[in-house]
C-alpha cells in the first residue's frame, strides 16, 4: 500500500485554513509584566479595589513559583517580559447593536464561519464573542435574563454582579494553584461569566468563540460558571486563531461550580488554534487550567474536549467530587500532527460518598506529533463506594509519532472501585484496503476510521459542535443513518 | 467480462501465481478450488487490487479495461467486489454508515444520484432479508464483535447492497455452520443475474451443493490444472487434489 503513507501525510499536511490577520486598530498595554501592568489592566477595566488586590496577590504568588517541567512537552523558554498582557480593540462608545460593530471584526467572524446574526436566528445559540480580550457582542441576553440567567463578559460581571464574582472567583482554582493559573489570576483580561439560578434549566447552549488576534498578545481568559440547586447549563467553547510566526502564550482559567444539589454543568470545547507550521515553527502554547467542583449532592460536571490545534497543549480539565453521589465526566479527543505536542488528561478527586467518574480519552498522533494522556484518579478516605472507569485509547498514523499514557491512581477507601483500560493501535493497512475495496477513497477511509475511533467522545458533544469537530478531523458525518 | 491471461504474481519474492488463465462471462458462476497454498486467495486478492502482491507478468482485462492499472477503489466502483475471507473490523463506524458511504461513492462514480438517508434505509431493509439479518446489525460497528458466521453473512449483505457486477467470494464458507452456510448461499443465489458473474473460491465441495457453479477450476501450484463443469467438484471430493496433480490437463475455459 504505497499510497497510504502519502494519504495520511496529505491529511496531516493540510494548510491551516483560518490563518489570517484582521486589521483592527488595537489599544495595548506596554510589553512586560509587573505591578504597573496589573494596575494598568485593572484601571482600564475600572475594577473595584478588592479585585486589584486579588490580582496583585496572585502576581506575588506567581513570582515565587516556577514553571512546571513535569509535562511531556518540549519548548523554548518563554520570556514573560516579552509579552503584551492587554490588548483591546478600539471601540466607538456605546455600541447598541451588531450593526455598530467594526465591520472588519464581523468579517473576521464570517471567515471563521460564525456570522453572529445567522447564529442568533438559526442555531439558537447565544454567542458572547471574544475578540482578543474584550467581548464585542453578547446576544440573547434578554431572553436569558427573563429566566434569571446571567451570561455576560467577565468584565461586565465584575461591574454588574461583583458579589457573585467575588464569592466564586478562585474558589475552584485558587490563584496559587499552579504557575499558569497564578499568571492568569494576575493579568486575566476578559472571558465569560455565567450564572444559572436555582431550578433553572438553561434552554439553549451557551457559547463563546475565542480568538487571538493582535500580534504578540498573550491571551488570559477567565471563565466562571456557577449553577445553583437543580440548575443545568451546557456551555460551548470554540476556538480558531490566525496564522503567526511567533509563539503565542495562552493561559486560561475556567472554573465551574455546581453549588446546590442536583446542579449540572456540561462544558464542551473544540480547540483549533494555530498549531505551527510543518517544521514546528510558531503555533500557540496552550497552558490552561480547567476545573469544576461538585459541591452539592447529586451534582454533575462533564467536560468534553476536542483538541486539534496549538503547538503545545497542557490541559487537565478536572472535577472535584465533593458532594455525595456527584458525577464527574471527561471525554477527550486530542490530535497531534507535524510537531505538535499535547499533554492532556484529567483529575477526578473523589471526596463524597458514592461519587462516580468516567474518563474516556482518545489520542490520535500523526507526523512527528507527541500525544500524552496524563490522568489522576484520587479516592479520598471518605469516598465510600466511589467508582471510576477510565479508558485511554491511542491511535497512531505513521511511525514517526508517539503516544504516551501516564495514569496516576490513588485509593484510600477500600470500598471503592477503579478501573483503567488502555489501548494503542495503528491504522491498519487491512482496514484501509477493506474500505477501498468497498469503493472509498483512501482519504475517506482514513477519515472514517479516525472518526469511528473518536465516536464515544463525539457523541457527547452537542450536535452543532459535533459537526464542527468532525469537520476538524476531516471526516464526514458519522451516524446520520441509524 | 473478465479475462485473465498468464497471470504471474508474487509476494516478498515468492511467486504464488504462475500463469493463471481464466475467462468469466456475464451470467456465469465459476468455482475455484484447490489445496492449501495453491494461490486461490492470492488470485482473489490480486483481482481486488491488494498491492502487497506484485504482478510480474500477464494481463487482466475487466469489461475491456486493464484491471491491473486500476486502484482498488476504482475497481470496486467499477463493480468488482471481494467478500473477504477475514472481514476487517472498523470500530466505531456503524455498518449502515459504512455501507451508505460506500454505496454513494459507487453511485457517484456511476453518475447516479446519491441516496439520502430515507431511500438508503429502504434499500438496506430490503437487502437485509436476503441474508436473514436483523436490524441491529445495521447499528453495530462494522464486523466488531461479530461472530465468524455473522462476519461472513455481513460480507454477503454488503454484496447485496452494493450490487457488484463481478463478485469474488474468498472462502466464504470457511467457519460457517450448516445453517449459516445455507443462508449465505441463498443470498448469493438470489443475487445471481444474467448481467453479473461470481467467482467462488473454496476449499471444499460443500458450498457447491448450495451454489451451483457453471464451471469448476482446480488451482494447483499457482496454475489452473483442470477445468470442467460442476461434476468436477464431486470428482475432486472423491479423488482428492493429488489426482489432479498426477494427471494435469491445464485447460482454460
Amino acid at each position: 500500500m504505497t499510497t497510504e503513507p502519502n494519504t495520511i501525510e496529505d491529511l496531516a499536511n493540510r494548510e491551516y485554513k483560518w490563518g489570517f490577520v484582521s486589521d483592527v486598530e488595537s489599544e495595548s498595554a506596554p510589553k512586560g509584566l509587573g505591578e504597573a501592568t496589573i494596575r494598568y489592566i485593572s484601571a482600564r477595566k475600572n475594577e473595584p479595589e478588592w479585585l486589584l488586590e486579588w490580582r496583585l496577590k496572585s502576581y506575588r504568588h506567581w513570582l515565587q513559583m516556577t514553571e512546571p517541567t513535569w509535562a511531556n512537552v518540549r519548548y523554548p523558554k518563554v520570556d514573560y517580559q516579552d509579552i503584551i498582557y492587554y490588548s483591546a480593540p478600539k471601540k466607538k462608545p456605546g455600541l447598541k447593536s451588531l450593526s455598530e460593530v467594526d465591520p472588519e471584526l464581523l468579517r473576521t467572524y464570517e471567515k471563521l464561519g460564525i456570522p453572529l446574526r445567522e447564529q442568533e436566528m438559526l442555531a439558537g445559540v447565544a454567542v458572547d464573542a471574544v475578540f482578543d480580550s474584550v467581548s464585542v457582542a453578547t446576544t440573547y441576553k434578554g431572553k436569558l435574563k427573563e429566566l434569571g440567567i446571567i451570561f455576560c463578559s467577565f468584565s461586565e460581571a465584575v461591574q454588574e454582579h461583583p458579589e457573585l464574582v467575588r464569592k466564586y472567583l478562585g474558589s475552584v482554582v485558587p490563584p496559587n494553584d499552579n504557575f499558569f493559573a497564578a499568571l492568569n489570576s494576575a493579568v486575566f483580561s476578559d472571558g465569560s461569566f455565567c450564572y444559572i439560578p436555582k431550578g433553572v434549566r438553561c434552554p439553549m447552549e451557551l457559547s463563546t468563540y475565542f480568538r487571538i488576534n493582535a500580534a504578540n498578545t498573550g491571551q488570559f481568559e477567565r471563565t466562571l460558571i456557577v449553577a445553583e440547586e437543580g440548575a443545568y447549563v451546557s456551555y460551548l467553547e470554540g476556538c480558531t486563531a490566525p496564522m503567526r510566526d511567533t509563539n503565542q502564550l495562552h493561559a486560561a482559567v475556567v472554573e465551574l461550580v455546581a453549588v446546590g444539589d442536583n446542579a449540572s454543568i456540561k462544558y464542551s470545547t473544540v480547540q483549533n488554534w494555530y498549531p505551527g507550521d510543518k517544521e514546528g515553527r510558531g503555533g500557540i502554547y496552550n497552558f490552561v487550567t480547567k476545573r469544576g467542583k461538585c459541591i452539592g449532592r447529586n451534582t454533575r460536571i462533564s467536560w468534553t474536549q476536542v483538541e486539534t490545534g496549538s503547538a503545545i497543549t497542557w490541559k487537565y480539565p478536572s472535577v472535584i467530587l465533593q458532594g455525595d453521589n456527584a458525577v464527574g465526566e471527561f471525554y477527550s479527543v486530542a490530535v497531534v500532527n507535524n510537531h505538535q505536542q499535547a499533554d492532556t488528561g484529567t483529575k477526578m478527586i473523589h471526596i463524597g460518598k458514592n461519587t462516580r467518574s468516567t474518563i474516556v480519552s482518545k489520542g490520535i498522533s500523526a507526523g512527528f506529533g507527541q500525544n500524552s494522556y496524563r490522568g489522576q484518579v484520587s479516592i479520598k478516605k471518605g469516598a465510600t463506594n466511589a467508582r471510576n472507569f477510565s479508558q485511554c485509547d491511542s491511535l497512531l498514523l505513521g511511525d514517526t509519532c508517539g503516544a504516551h499514557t501516564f495514569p496516576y491512581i490513588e485509593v484510600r477507601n477500600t470500598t471503592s472501585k477503579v478501573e483503567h483500560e488502555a489501548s494503542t493501535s495503528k491504522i491498519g493497512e487491512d482496514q484501509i484496503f477493506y474500505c477501498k475495496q468497498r469503493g472509498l477513497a483512501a482519504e475517506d477511509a482514513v477519515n472514517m476510521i479516525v472518526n469511528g475511533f473518536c465516536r464515544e467522545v463525539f457523541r457527547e458533544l452537542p450536535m452543532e459542535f459535533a459537526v464542527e469537530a468532525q469537520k476538524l478531523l476531516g471526516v464526514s458525518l458519522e451516524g446520520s443513518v441509524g | 467480462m473478465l479475462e485473465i491471461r498468464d497471470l504471474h504474481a508474487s509476494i516478498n519474492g515468492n511467486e504464488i501465481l504462475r500463469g493463471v488463465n481464466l475467462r468469466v462471462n456475464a451470467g456465469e458462476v465459476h468455482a475455484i478450488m484447490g489445496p492449501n497454498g495453491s494461490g486461490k486467495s492470492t488470485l482473489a486478492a490480486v483481482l481486488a487490487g491488494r498491492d502487497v502482491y506484485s504482478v510480474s507478468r500477464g494481463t487482466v482485462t475487466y469489461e475491456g479495461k486493464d484491471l491491473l492499472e486500476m486502484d482498488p477503489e476504482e475497481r470496486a466502483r467499477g463493480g468488482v467486489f471481494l467478500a473477504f475471507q477475514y472481514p476487517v473490523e472498523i470500530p466505531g463506524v456503524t455498518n449502515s454508515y459504512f455501507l451508505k458511504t460506500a454505496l454513494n461513492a459507487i453511485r457517484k462514480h456511476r453518475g447516479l444520484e446519491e441516496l439520502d438517508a430515507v431511500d438508503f434505509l429502504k434499500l438496506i431493509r430490503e437487502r437485509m432479508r436476503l441474508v436473514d439479518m436483523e436490524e441491529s446489525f445495521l447499528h453495530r460497528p462494522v464486523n466488531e464483535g461479530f461472530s465468524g458466521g455473522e462476519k461472513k453473512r455481513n460480507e454477503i449483505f454488503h454484496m447485496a447492497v452494493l450490487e457488484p457486477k463481478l463478485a469474488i467470494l474468498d472462502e466464504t464458507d470457511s467457519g460457517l455452520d450448516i445453517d449459516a452456510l445455507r443462508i449465505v448461499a441463498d443470498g448469493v443465489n438470489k443475487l445471481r443475474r444474467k448481467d453479473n458473474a461470481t467467482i467462488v473460491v473454496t476449499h471444499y465441495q460443500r458450498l457447491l451443493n448450495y451454489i451451483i457453479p457453471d464451471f469448476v477450476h482446480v488451482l494447483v501450484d499457482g496454475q489452473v490444472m483442470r477445468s470442467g463443469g460442476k461434476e468436477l467438484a464431486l470428482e475432486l471430493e472423491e479423488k482428492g487434489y493429488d489426482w489432479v496433480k498426477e494427471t494435469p490437463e491445464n485447460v482454460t475455459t
Side-chain angles (χ1 to χ4, degrees), chain B residues 218-236:
Chain B
V218 186
L219 198 65
V220 178
D221 294 335
Q223 286 184 320
V224 176
M225 287 289 188
R226 190 178 289 252
S227 293
K230 63 183 179 210
E231 63 290 342
L232 178 57
L234 295 166
E235 209 174 344
L236 266 179

Side-chain angles (χ1 to χ4, degrees), chain A residues 1-2 429-431 433-442 448-449 452-453 455 476-482, chain B residues 49-51 73 76-77 80-82 84 88-93 96-98 100-102 105 139 143 155 158 162:
Chain A
M1 303 249 110
T2 50
E429 272 179 15
D430 54 346
Q431 284 179 321
F433 179 68
Y434 189 72
C435 294
K436 285 167 104 178
Q437 210 300 309
R438 296 295 184 259
L440 300 178
M448 185 181 265
I449 294 162
F453 176 75
R455 187 179 162 86
S476 37
L477 185 67
E478 158 83 86
S480 58
V481 176
Chain B
R50 183 103 213 209
D51 68 1
E73 62 270 33
R77 292 170 196 166
V80 176
F81 178 91
L82 174 66
F84 284 60
V88 178
E89 298 181 1
I90 307 178
V93 178
S96 67
Y97 177 68
F98 178 77
K100 184 173 175 234
T101 311
H139 312 303
N143 294 321
E155 292 294 284
H158 285 191
L162 302 178

Side-chain angles (χ1 to χ4, degrees), chain A residues 302-323:
Chain A
S302 180
W303 298 100
T304 306
Q305 62 173 21
V306 177
E307 304 280 322
T308 64
S310 295
I312 298 170
T313 300
W314 181 98
K315 182 182 175 188
Y316 315 90
S318 304
V319 185
I320 299 167
L321 299 152
Q322 187 179 306

